[in-house]
């Protein structure tokens, strides 16, 4: 680097393929829509600006020839100007001086020295997209667009120039109709990026204070990890309740149990072994403490994992469902540790009926989650009258139900106060 001339160093810095992460580069193969789903600060805007720059300048492998007509669409005109064009990762910043386009605010146009033009549009005015035509388009934060589907539809009618019109949509995902539509379309390819993937370019305080605080929560998974978190309309548990009932840690607890929902098999693709710990405080409030559920475990492995959790929490009992293995379940646990008290439970009703009284405890504000348990909470928010939407067994939820049923809906047993 020290031996490079200023011009050579500038050219090196302008080589986006050299500096970009894989998720910031267009996927190979034929596609109509490239959808980048990313967390806050994950580098979505930079990827969008570099893609448009490469098209306008005709840089391979992005484009064989300069793309002359491009649409830039944001939530508002101010967003197009402040983020997509003039922002710290916007179009004006990513060009070298010799190639930099001229922004003409009164015309809402970017004009490149080679004649390429990009027009700015707002999702607040879908009708403005009626008439103009383009070879390519970049839509930013499409999950936030005011008139999302109308604006997207008008944009599709305008993508009618060139041999292969294409569009890039960059956004932090939200479960809105346009997002579901784009993800379902055959011509869509998706790349994903989390906020942490771009940590080198972010303030350490942001990573520690914001990323650390929201990691694993619904808001964090959406805004930092770029996940689209869906809500099932007929779900027995609501995500908003789980978030509202979350605490950082549990108070001293009178009882603690570890519940196990063993799988019928340890074969590849078999159900997971549900292993969930919960405790009850002296005021009658229950606290979910841990979820160590996992798939592919042999009986000795899940028994050791459950007993290890039992010992680490100084729990009172292991509650184990025996429908799948009968006396074998208790026998496996005692082989690992003969001193562990095992309470065998047998399901005589369906999973939904068993879970309803536990859901009532959440509705009555009698349960808290001491920490974040994303996979468990995904199952809870996706569990309806017909089970999980993908047909899997709700193993984590089953273990949770057994733990809370034993603590809150059956005999209380003798108290034993300890801090957790």
């Amino acid at each position: 680097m020290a031996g490079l001339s200023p011009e050579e160093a500038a050219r090196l810095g302008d080589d986006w393929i050299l500096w970009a992460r894989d998720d910031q580069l267009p996927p190979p193969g034929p596609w109509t829509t490239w959808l980048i789903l990313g967390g806050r600060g994950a580098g979505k805007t930079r990827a969008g600006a570099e893609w448009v720059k490469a098209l306008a300048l005709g840089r391979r492998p992005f484009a064989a020839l300069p793309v002359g007509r491009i649409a830039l669409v944001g939530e508002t005109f101010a967003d197009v100007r402040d983020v997509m064009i003039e922002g710290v990762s916007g179009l004006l910043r990513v060009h070298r001086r010799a190639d930099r386009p001229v922004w003409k605010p009164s015309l809402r146009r970017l004009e490149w020295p080679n004649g390429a033009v990009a027009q700015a549009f707002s999702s607040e005015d879908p009708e403005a997209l009626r008439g103009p035509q383009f070879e390519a388009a970049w839509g930013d934060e499409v999950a936030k667009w005011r008139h999302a589907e109308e604006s997207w539809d008008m944009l599709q009618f305008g993508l009618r120039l060139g041999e292969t019109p294409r569009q890039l949509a960059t956004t932090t995902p939200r479960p809105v109709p346009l997002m579901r539509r784009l993800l379902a379309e055959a011509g869509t390819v998706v790349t994903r990026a989390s906020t942490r993937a771009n940590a080198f370019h972010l303030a350490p305080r942001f990573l520690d204070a914001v990323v650390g605080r929201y990691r694993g929560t619904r808001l964090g998974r959406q805004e930092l990890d770029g996940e689209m978190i869906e809500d099932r309309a007929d779900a027995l548990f609501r995500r908003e309740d789980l978030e509202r009932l979350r605490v950082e840690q549990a108070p001293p607890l009178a009882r603690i149990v570890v519940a196990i929902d063993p799988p019928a098999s340890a074969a590849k693709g078999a159900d997971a072994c549900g292993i969930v710990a919960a405790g009850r405080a002296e005021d009658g409030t229950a606290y979910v403490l841990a979820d160590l559920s996992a798939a592919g475990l042999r009986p000795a492995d899940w028994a050791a994992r459950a007993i290890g959790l039992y010992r680490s929490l100084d729990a009172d009992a292991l509650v184990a469902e025996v429908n799948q293995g009968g006396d074998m379940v208790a026998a496996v646990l005692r082989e690992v540790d003969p001193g562990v008290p095992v309470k065998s439970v047998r399901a005589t009703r369906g999973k939904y009926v068993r879970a309803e009284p536990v859901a009532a405890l959440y509705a009555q504000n009698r349960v808290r989650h001491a920490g974040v348990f994303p996979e468990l909470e995904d199952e809870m928010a996706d569990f309806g009258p017909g089970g999980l939407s993908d047909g899997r067994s709700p193993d984590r939820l089953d273990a949770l139900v057994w733990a809370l049923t034993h603590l809150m809906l059956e005999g209380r047993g003798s108290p034993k106060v300890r801090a957790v």
Side-chain angles (χ1 to χ4, degrees):
M1 291 293 293
L4 296 178
S5 68
E7 176 62 21
E8 289 171 332
R11 287 185 179 277
L12 186 64
D14 194 47
D15 186 350
W16 177 236
I17 293 180
L18 176 64
W19 302 105
R21 303 190 309 268
D22 289 344
D23 58 79
Q24 293 177 303
L25 295 173
W31 49 265
T32 303
T33 303
W34 174 22
L35 177 60
I36 299 180
L37 300 180
R40 303 281 189 93
K44 305 183 300 295
T45 302
R46 179 66 184 271
E50 292 284 357
W51 184 70
V52 170
K53 178 183 80 171
L55 295 185
L57 299 179
R59 292 189 175 177
R60 294 180 181 272
F62 300 90
L65 296 170
V67 173
R69 305 288 295 183
I70 303 169
L72 304 175
V73 189
E75 181 183 1
T76 66
F77 279 119
D79 291 317
V80 178
R81 180 194 66 223
D82 297 342
V83 178
M84 302 172 73
I85 296 174
E86 297 179 346
V88 294
S89 298
L91 281 158
L92 295 181
R93 292 291 188 96
V94 300
H95 283 76
R96 293 192 302 158
R97 184 179 300 274
D99 301 321
R100 187 174 300 154
V102 176
W103 168 230
K104 297 184 176 180
S106 61
L107 300 177
R108 293 173 175 169
R109 290 161 56 105
L110 269 178
E111 297 181 355
W112 275 263
N114 67 356
V117 173
Q119 292 179 256
F121 298 91
S122 166
S123 71
E124 295 177 314
D125 185 14
E127 289 299 308
L129 285 159
R130 186 187 296 274
Q133 51 188 352
F134 313 99
E135 296 172 69
W138 171 26
D140 189 43
E141 292 297 350
V142 297
K144 290 176 56 185
W145 282 6
R146 304 290 175 85
H147 303 289
E149 295 201 81
E150 298 91 331
S151 297
W152 189 262
D153 288 338
M154 289 299 101
L155 180 59
Q156 305 317 293
F157 288 121
L159 281 170
R160 55 181 185 262
L161 295 180
E163 295 183 3
T164 55
R166 287 183 167 188
Q167 57 199 339
L168 167 61
T170 52
T171 191
T172 297
R174 292 181 178 182
V176 296
L178 179 59
M179 291 299 304
R180 298 187 186 98
R181 171 180 160 186
L182 294 181
L183 288 168
E185 288 182 349
T188 299
V189 294
V190 181
T191 58
R192 303 174 185 270
S194 69
T195 299
R196 282 200 172 274
N198 205 36
F200 180 79
H201 300 285
L202 302 174
R205 183 185 178 280
F206 174 80
L207 292 171
D208 294 339
V210 178
V211 177
R213 177 180 179 184
Y214 293 101
R215 182 185 301 135
T217 66
R218 176 185 180 172
L219 186 61
R221 292 172 64 188
Q222 174 179 287
E223 301 295 324
L224 300 174
D225 297 330
E227 293 186 43
M228 192 166 80
I229 309 298
E230 292 275 11
D231 285 322
R232 180 171 170 175
D234 62 349
L236 191 56
F237 300 86
R238 300 192 306 171
R239 286 188 188 274
E240 61 187 65
D241 291 337
L242 302 182
E243 295 291 345
R244 177 175 54 82
L245 297 171
R246 193 182 312 282
V247 296
E248 291 188 6
Q249 62 182 23
L253 299 173
R255 291 208 65 206
I256 296 175
V257 299
V258 174
I260 310 170
D261 178 51
S265 168
K268 184 177 181 181
D271 295 336
C273 178
I275 304 174
V276 172
R280 192 187 73 244
E282 291 186 311
D283 66 358
T285 303
Y287 292 84
V288 179
L289 305 174
D291 172 22
L292 295 188
S293 307
L297 299 179
R298 296 175 301 173
D301 295 329
W302 57 250
R305 178 177 290 219
I307 289 173
L309 181 59
Y310 168 91
R311 293 298 183 195
S312 68
L313 293 174
D314 190 22
D316 302 284
L318 282 170
V319 178
E321 181 184 320
V322 297
N323 286 60
Q324 300 287 359
D327 294 338
M328 180 274 292
V329 174
V332 169
L333 290 166
R334 292 192 174 104
E335 282 181 10
V336 175
D337 190 334
V340 173
V342 178
K343 176 179 174 59
S344 298
V345 291
R346 186 176 296 275
T348 58
R349 299 174 296 168
K351 296 177 185 293
Y352 189 87
V353 174
R354 294 202 311 270
E356 282 184 308
V358 173
L361 294 175
Y362 280 84
Q364 296 163 4
N365 298 326
R366 296 176 62 193
V367 184
R368 305 281 188 271
H369 283 201
V372 292
F373 311 104
E375 293 170 301
L376 169 62
E377 291 165 11
D378 280 351
E379 284 193 358
M380 296 174 72
D382 186 43
F383 184 73
L388 298 180
S389 58
D390 61 4
R392 292 182 302 106
S393 175
D395 308 296
R396 299 169 189 271
L397 175 58
D398 277 348
L400 172 77
V401 167
W402 287 123
L404 293 178
T405 297
H406 181 75
L407 283 171
M408 305 290 284
L409 303 173
E410 293 181 355
R412 300 255 175 129
S414 58
K416 178 183 176 184
V417 178
R418 86 295 309 276
V420 173

